[in-house]
Short mmCIF file of all heavy atoms in Angstrom, two decimals:
data_model
loop_
_atom_site.label_atom_id
_atom_site.label_comp_id
_atom_site.label_asym_id
_atom_site.label_seq_id
_atom_site.Cartn_x
_atom_site.Cartn_y
_atom_site.Cartn_z
N TRP A 50 -64.67 -49.29 -136.59
CA TRP A 50 -65.57 -48.18 -136.93
C TRP A 50 -66.86 -48.67 -137.56
O TRP A 50 -67.77 -47.89 -137.84
CB TRP A 50 -64.86 -47.15 -137.83
CG TRP A 50 -63.76 -46.52 -137.04
CD1 TRP A 50 -62.42 -46.75 -137.19
CD2 TRP A 50 -63.89 -45.61 -135.94
NE1 TRP A 50 -61.72 -46.03 -136.25
CE2 TRP A 50 -62.60 -45.32 -135.47
CE3 TRP A 50 -64.98 -45.02 -135.30
CZ2 TRP A 50 -62.35 -44.47 -134.39
CZ3 TRP A 50 -64.74 -44.16 -134.23
CH2 TRP A 50 -63.45 -43.90 -133.80
N TYR A 55 -72.25 -47.07 -131.18
CA TYR A 55 -73.04 -46.61 -130.04
C TYR A 55 -73.30 -45.10 -130.16
O TYR A 55 -72.53 -44.40 -130.84
CB TYR A 55 -72.33 -46.96 -128.72
CG TYR A 55 -70.93 -46.41 -128.58
CD1 TYR A 55 -70.69 -45.08 -128.25
CD2 TYR A 55 -69.81 -47.23 -128.78
CE1 TYR A 55 -69.40 -44.57 -128.12
CE2 TYR A 55 -68.52 -46.74 -128.67
CZ TYR A 55 -68.34 -45.40 -128.33
OH TYR A 55 -67.06 -44.91 -128.22
N ALA A 59 -67.29 -41.40 -131.52
CA ALA A 59 -66.49 -40.48 -132.33
C ALA A 59 -65.03 -40.76 -132.06
O ALA A 59 -64.69 -41.43 -131.08
CB ALA A 59 -66.81 -39.04 -131.95
N CYS A 60 -64.18 -40.23 -132.92
CA CYS A 60 -62.76 -40.43 -132.71
C CYS A 60 -62.22 -39.34 -131.79
O CYS A 60 -62.65 -38.20 -131.88
CB CYS A 60 -62.03 -40.39 -134.04
SG CYS A 60 -60.30 -40.85 -133.83
N ASP A 61 -61.30 -39.72 -130.92
CA ASP A 61 -60.73 -38.68 -130.05
C ASP A 61 -59.35 -38.22 -130.54
O ASP A 61 -58.57 -37.65 -129.79
CB ASP A 61 -60.73 -39.10 -128.58
CG ASP A 61 -59.96 -40.38 -128.32
OD1 ASP A 61 -59.25 -40.85 -129.25
OD2 ASP A 61 -60.04 -40.91 -127.20
N LEU A 144 -58.56 -54.08 -130.38
CA LEU A 144 -59.80 -53.71 -129.71
C LEU A 144 -60.99 -54.25 -130.49
O LEU A 144 -61.89 -53.51 -130.89
CB LEU A 144 -59.89 -52.19 -129.57
CG LEU A 144 -58.72 -51.53 -128.84
CD1 LEU A 144 -58.82 -50.01 -128.89
CD2 LEU A 144 -58.65 -51.99 -127.39
N PRO A 150 -67.51 -58.26 -118.01
CA PRO A 150 -67.09 -58.57 -116.64
C PRO A 150 -67.86 -59.77 -116.09
O PRO A 150 -69.00 -60.02 -116.51
CB PRO A 150 -67.47 -57.30 -115.87
CG PRO A 150 -68.55 -56.66 -116.65
CD PRO A 150 -68.34 -57.05 -118.09
N SER A 165 -71.18 -51.92 -125.36
CA SER A 165 -71.12 -50.71 -126.20
C SER A 165 -70.66 -51.03 -127.62
O SER A 165 -71.05 -50.36 -128.57
CB SER A 165 -70.18 -49.67 -125.57
OG SER A 165 -68.87 -50.20 -125.46
N ILE A 182 -71.99 -50.06 -116.87
CA ILE A 182 -70.81 -50.55 -116.15
C ILE A 182 -69.57 -50.04 -116.89
O ILE A 182 -69.40 -50.33 -118.08
CB ILE A 182 -70.73 -52.10 -116.12
CG1 ILE A 182 -72.10 -52.72 -115.87
CG2 ILE A 182 -69.68 -52.58 -115.12
CD1 ILE A 182 -72.59 -52.78 -114.49
N GLY A 183 -68.73 -49.30 -116.19
CA GLY A 183 -67.50 -48.81 -116.81
C GLY A 183 -67.58 -47.33 -117.15
O GLY A 183 -68.65 -46.80 -117.47
N THR A 184 -66.43 -46.69 -117.04
CA THR A 184 -66.35 -45.24 -117.31
C THR A 184 -65.12 -44.95 -118.16
O THR A 184 -64.35 -44.03 -117.87
CB THR A 184 -66.28 -44.46 -115.98
OG1 THR A 184 -65.20 -45.00 -115.20
CG2 THR A 184 -67.56 -44.53 -115.19
N GLY A 185 -64.94 -45.75 -119.21
CA GLY A 185 -63.79 -45.55 -120.11
C GLY A 185 -64.15 -44.69 -121.30
O GLY A 185 -65.17 -43.98 -121.31
N ALA A 186 -63.31 -44.78 -122.34
CA ALA A 186 -63.43 -43.93 -123.52
C ALA A 186 -64.80 -44.05 -124.18
O ALA A 186 -65.35 -43.05 -124.66
CB ALA A 186 -62.33 -44.31 -124.52
N SER A 187 -65.36 -45.26 -124.20
CA SER A 187 -66.67 -45.45 -124.86
C SER A 187 -67.79 -44.90 -123.98
O SER A 187 -68.66 -44.16 -124.47
CB SER A 187 -66.92 -46.94 -125.14
OG SER A 187 -65.87 -47.48 -125.90
N ALA A 188 -67.78 -45.28 -122.69
CA ALA A 188 -68.88 -44.86 -121.81
C ALA A 188 -69.00 -43.34 -121.73
O ALA A 188 -70.11 -42.81 -121.74
CB ALA A 188 -68.67 -45.46 -120.41
N GLN A 190 -68.56 -41.32 -123.90
CA GLN A 190 -69.18 -40.79 -125.11
C GLN A 190 -70.68 -41.10 -125.16
O GLN A 190 -71.47 -40.27 -125.60
CB GLN A 190 -68.49 -41.37 -126.36
CG GLN A 190 -67.06 -40.84 -126.53
CD GLN A 190 -66.39 -41.33 -127.81
OE1 GLN A 190 -66.73 -42.36 -128.36
NE2 GLN A 190 -65.41 -40.58 -128.28
N ARG A 207 -65.53 -48.01 -111.51
CA ARG A 207 -64.49 -48.66 -110.70
C ARG A 207 -63.34 -47.69 -110.50
O ARG A 207 -62.87 -47.49 -109.38
CB ARG A 207 -64.03 -49.94 -111.39
CG ARG A 207 -63.17 -50.82 -110.52
CD ARG A 207 -63.05 -52.21 -111.05
NE ARG A 207 -62.36 -52.26 -112.35
CZ ARG A 207 -62.11 -53.39 -113.00
NH1 ARG A 207 -62.51 -54.54 -112.48
NH2 ARG A 207 -61.49 -53.37 -114.16
N THR A 208 -62.88 -47.08 -111.59
CA THR A 208 -61.79 -46.12 -111.52
C THR A 208 -62.19 -44.89 -112.34
O THR A 208 -62.53 -45.05 -113.53
CB THR A 208 -60.51 -46.70 -112.15
OG1 THR A 208 -60.37 -48.07 -111.74
CG2 THR A 208 -59.28 -45.91 -111.75
N LYS A 293 -53.57 -43.99 -117.31
CA LYS A 293 -54.57 -44.61 -118.17
C LYS A 293 -54.85 -43.62 -119.29
O LYS A 293 -54.44 -42.46 -119.18
CB LYS A 293 -55.87 -44.87 -117.38
CG LYS A 293 -55.72 -45.94 -116.31
CD LYS A 293 -56.80 -45.80 -115.27
CE LYS A 293 -58.02 -46.62 -115.60
NZ LYS A 293 -57.90 -48.03 -115.21
N ARG A 294 -55.56 -44.04 -120.31
CA ARG A 294 -55.79 -43.16 -121.46
C ARG A 294 -56.46 -41.85 -121.01
O ARG A 294 -57.46 -41.87 -120.27
CB ARG A 294 -56.70 -43.88 -122.46
CG ARG A 294 -56.82 -43.15 -123.79
CD ARG A 294 -57.68 -43.96 -124.74
NE ARG A 294 -57.97 -43.22 -125.95
CZ ARG A 294 -57.26 -43.32 -127.07
NH1 ARG A 294 -56.23 -44.13 -127.11
NH2 ARG A 294 -57.58 -42.62 -128.13
N GLY A 341 -69.81 -50.91 -120.71
CA GLY A 341 -68.81 -50.05 -121.36
C GLY A 341 -67.45 -50.51 -120.86
O GLY A 341 -66.63 -49.71 -120.42
N THR A 342 -67.27 -51.83 -120.90
CA THR A 342 -66.15 -52.45 -120.19
C THR A 342 -64.96 -52.80 -121.08
O THR A 342 -64.10 -53.59 -120.69
CB THR A 342 -66.64 -53.72 -119.44
OG1 THR A 342 -67.51 -54.45 -120.32
CG2 THR A 342 -67.40 -53.36 -118.19
N GLY A 343 -64.90 -52.22 -122.25
CA GLY A 343 -63.70 -52.36 -123.07
C GLY A 343 -63.54 -53.69 -123.76
O GLY A 343 -64.50 -54.42 -123.99
N PHE A 344 -62.28 -54.02 -124.04
CA PHE A 344 -61.97 -55.15 -124.93
C PHE A 344 -60.93 -56.08 -124.31
O PHE A 344 -60.15 -55.66 -123.46
CB PHE A 344 -61.47 -54.60 -126.27
CG PHE A 344 -62.49 -53.72 -126.92
CD1 PHE A 344 -62.58 -52.36 -126.61
CD2 PHE A 344 -63.40 -54.26 -127.81
CE1 PHE A 344 -63.55 -51.55 -127.20
CE2 PHE A 344 -64.38 -53.45 -128.39
CZ PHE A 344 -64.45 -52.10 -128.08
N TRP A 456 -55.38 -51.42 -119.02
CA TRP A 456 -55.28 -52.54 -119.97
C TRP A 456 -53.99 -52.47 -120.78
O TRP A 456 -53.68 -53.39 -121.53
CB TRP A 456 -56.51 -52.66 -120.86
CG TRP A 456 -56.84 -51.48 -121.73
CD1 TRP A 456 -57.79 -50.52 -121.47
CD2 TRP A 456 -56.29 -51.12 -123.00
NE1 TRP A 456 -57.84 -49.61 -122.49
CE2 TRP A 456 -56.94 -49.94 -123.45
CE3 TRP A 456 -55.31 -51.68 -123.82
CZ2 TRP A 456 -56.63 -49.31 -124.66
CZ3 TRP A 456 -55.00 -51.06 -125.03
CH2 TRP A 456 -55.66 -49.90 -125.44
P1 LIG B 501 -61.86 -49.04 -121.46
O1 LIG B 501 -61.29 -47.71 -121.72
O2 LIG B 501 -61.00 -50.21 -121.27
O3 LIG B 501 -62.84 -48.85 -120.23
C1 LIG B 501 -63.48 -49.93 -119.64
C2 LIG B 501 -64.20 -49.45 -118.41
O4 LIG B 501 -64.87 -50.53 -117.86
C3 LIG B 501 -63.24 -48.91 -117.35
O5 LIG B 501 -63.85 -47.87 -116.67
C4 LIG B 501 -63.06 -50.13 -116.45
O6 LIG B 501 -62.70 -49.82 -115.13
C5 LIG B 501 -64.45 -50.71 -116.51
N1 LIG B 501 -64.48 -52.12 -116.20
C6 LIG B 501 -63.89 -53.11 -116.89
N2 LIG B 501 -64.12 -54.28 -116.30
C7 LIG B 501 -64.87 -54.03 -115.21
C8 LIG B 501 -65.42 -54.83 -114.17
N3 LIG B 501 -65.23 -56.15 -114.15
N4 LIG B 501 -66.15 -54.22 -113.21
C9 LIG B 501 -66.31 -52.89 -113.24
N5 LIG B 501 -65.82 -52.07 -114.18
C10 LIG B 501 -65.11 -52.64 -115.15
O7 LIG B 501 -62.90 -49.47 -122.62
P2 LIG B 501 -63.54 -48.57 -123.73
O8 LIG B 501 -64.15 -47.38 -123.11
O9 LIG B 501 -64.41 -49.41 -124.58
O10 LIG B 501 -62.30 -48.12 -124.55
C11 LIG B 501 -61.32 -49.05 -124.94
C12 LIG B 501 -60.32 -48.39 -125.82
O11 LIG B 501 -60.94 -48.16 -127.07
C13 LIG B 501 -59.86 -47.03 -125.36
O12 LIG B 501 -58.85 -47.04 -124.43
C14 LIG B 501 -59.43 -46.43 -126.66
O13 LIG B 501 -58.14 -46.86 -126.98
C15 LIG B 501 -60.41 -47.02 -127.63
N6 LIG B 501 -61.50 -46.07 -127.87
C16 LIG B 501 -61.17 -45.02 -128.63
C17 LIG B 501 -62.12 -44.10 -128.89
C18 LIG B 501 -61.73 -42.96 -129.74
O14 LIG B 501 -62.38 -41.96 -129.70
N7 LIG B 501 -60.67 -43.05 -130.55
C19 LIG B 501 -63.40 -44.21 -128.41
C20 LIG B 501 -63.71 -45.31 -127.64
C21 LIG B 501 -62.75 -46.25 -127.38
P3 LIG B 501 -61.16 -49.72 -114.70
O15 LIG B 501 -60.67 -48.42 -115.26
O16 LIG B 501 -61.17 -49.78 -113.24
O17 LIG B 501 -60.46 -50.90 -115.32
#
Side-chain angles (χ1 to χ4, degrees):
W50 294 106
Y55 57 78
C60 187
D61 59 10
L144 303 174
S165 61
I182 319 279
T184 53
S187 304
Q190 291 184 335
R207 192 164 64 179
T208 318
K293 291 160 91 82
R294 190 178 172 94
T342 43
F344 301 86
W456 60 260

